[in-house]
Amino acid sequence: MAAQLLRRSRALLRPGAVLRAAAFGRREAPGSGISARRWASQQVLVQTDAGAGVAVMKLKNPPVNLLSLELLTEFVISLEKLENDKDVRGVVITSDCPGIFSAGLDLTEMCGRTPAHYAEYWRAVQELWLRLYLSSLVLVAAINGTSPAGGCLVALTCDHRVMADNPKYRIGLNETQLGIVAPFWFKDTLVNTIGHRATERALQLGLLFPPVEALQVGMVDQVVPEDQVQASALSAAARWMAIPDHARQLTKDLMRKPTAERLLRQREADIQNFVDFTSRASIQKALQLYLEKLKQRKA
């Protein structure tokens, strides 16, 4: 079964090509020539195929896939569509931007805005994490570039993580380097992945791990050549999808619900803490300085 799913899902790898039903062992409808379904919002590209049961979701917010309010909203809507599609059982999440998976939270959403905007933005960040972390679908991150902070969090919510073996790429929760404290649910997600002591060290130092070190610490599950990232992710999805859905989903809930429920119980307080922290004059000044440095680098 896993091998069959893998053969089918590999058809998703043809860059820019439509998927043909013959690739999945089915006949095409006369005159159609297309078996895959695609849709695209402004910043999220999705391609699905009922025969494979797999969708590939690509983030497209160039140049670095910042998690803007718009992207967060489109991400959640796209995920909800896939969860409501009875033909989709697994999703590979990857990037359409070369060299970057996601650079994380969009600091412009956190700087020079109103408290109401900060609250709206943080609720959207929470919502994305909750939807990903508790998704009934098999989620595989195909990390084809650097993934700090919020980008790392997106990857950590997935069931399996495949990272490109490029020494220039990094992954980690590096908030302290920016003078920001990672929220408790960021911390909990990392603890559940790499353990308490490794998380304590990584968070306090704001570590960004190259691929081999990320594999050693358990932050990713595979490191593969860069041109094999998506193929390896599809292969991993096929292995996970070979398990009966009900058993896998119940086990996932058993492992993850306590962590998610901790945020749900404190969601409004967490939003208020974020607003209060972000609104501090010292934090606003630090964010402004950092954004100015980024502008100077681009110039």
Side-chain angles (χ1 to χ4, degrees), residues 10-263:
R10 277 178 175 159
L12 289 167
L13 293 173
R14 298 204 296 268
V18 298
L19 304 186
R20 303 187 64 84
F24 300 97
R26 294 180 286 112
R27 294 182 179 178
E28 299 176 358
S32 70
I34 300 175
S35 66
R37 297 191 306 279
R38 295 180 177 186
W39 77 79
S41 59
Q42 193 72 20
Q43 299 182 358
V44 179
L45 310 177
V46 180
Q47 184 171 10
T48 71
D49 190 281
V54 178
V56 174
M57 181 187 292
K58 293 185 177 182
L59 306 183
K60 187 179 182 181
N61 184 19
V64 294
N65 281 335
L66 288 175
L67 299 176
S68 64
L69 183 58
E70 182 179 2
L71 176 56
L72 292 169
T73 302
E74 292 182 10
F75 202 153
V76 168
I77 291 172
S78 296
L79 185 64
E80 186 174 9
K81 284 183 179 180
L82 292 173
E83 288 179 331
N84 290 330
D85 187 337
K86 60 181 176 57
D87 294 323
V88 174
R89 299 173 55 223
V91 180
V92 170
I93 300 173
T94 190
S95 168
D96 195 59
C97 299
I100 188 80
F101 181 73
S102 170
L105 302 185
D106 186 346
L107 297 184
T108 65
E109 303 278 10
M110 302 162 55
C111 186
R113 307 293 189 102
T114 65
H117 183 85
Y118 300 148
E120 180 185 13
Y121 181 64
W122 198 242
R123 188 180 298 278
V125 176
Q126 291 177 335
E127 186 65 22
L128 178 63
W129 179 78
L130 288 166
R131 292 297 189 98
L132 289 169
Y133 200 63
L134 296 177
S135 177
S136 61
L137 299 170
V138 170
L139 301 182
V140 178
I143 308 166
N144 53 344
T146 290
S147 188
C152 175
L153 184 72
V154 170
L156 291 174
T157 64
C158 294
D159 302 294
H160 190 89
R161 287 164 292 282
V162 181
M163 188 171 186
D165 189 9
N166 186 325
K168 295 181 179 179
Y169 295 164
R170 296 289 186 274
I171 185 170
L173 298 178
N174 64 322
E175 282 78 359
T176 54
Q177 292 191 24
L178 307 179
I180 300 172
V181 178
F184 71 86
W185 42 284
F186 282 48
K187 179 267 296 181
D188 290 346
T189 308
L190 190 56
V191 168
N192 291 347
T193 306
I194 68 173
H196 190 280
R197 174 53 186 159
T199 296
E200 182 179 27
R201 180 173 178 272
L203 289 183
Q204 289 197 48
L205 296 176
L207 297 179
L208 289 171
F209 298 91
V212 173
E213 291 183 23
L215 180 64
Q216 290 171 345
V217 79
M219 192 170 286
V220 300
D221 301 296
Q222 289 177 261
V223 171
V224 301
E226 194 157 4
D227 61 354
Q228 297 176 26
V229 171
Q230 192 164 311
S232 298
L234 289 167
S235 177
R239 291 197 303 274
W240 284 72
M241 289 163 56
I243 304 299
D245 283 341
H246 69 282
R248 184 192 55 77
Q249 290 165 359
L250 287 172
T251 302
K252 185 173 183 176
D253 284 348
L254 182 67
M255 297 297 296
R256 295 191 172 199
K257 267 193 174 180
T259 301
E261 285 174 351
R262 186 178 175 205
L263 173 59

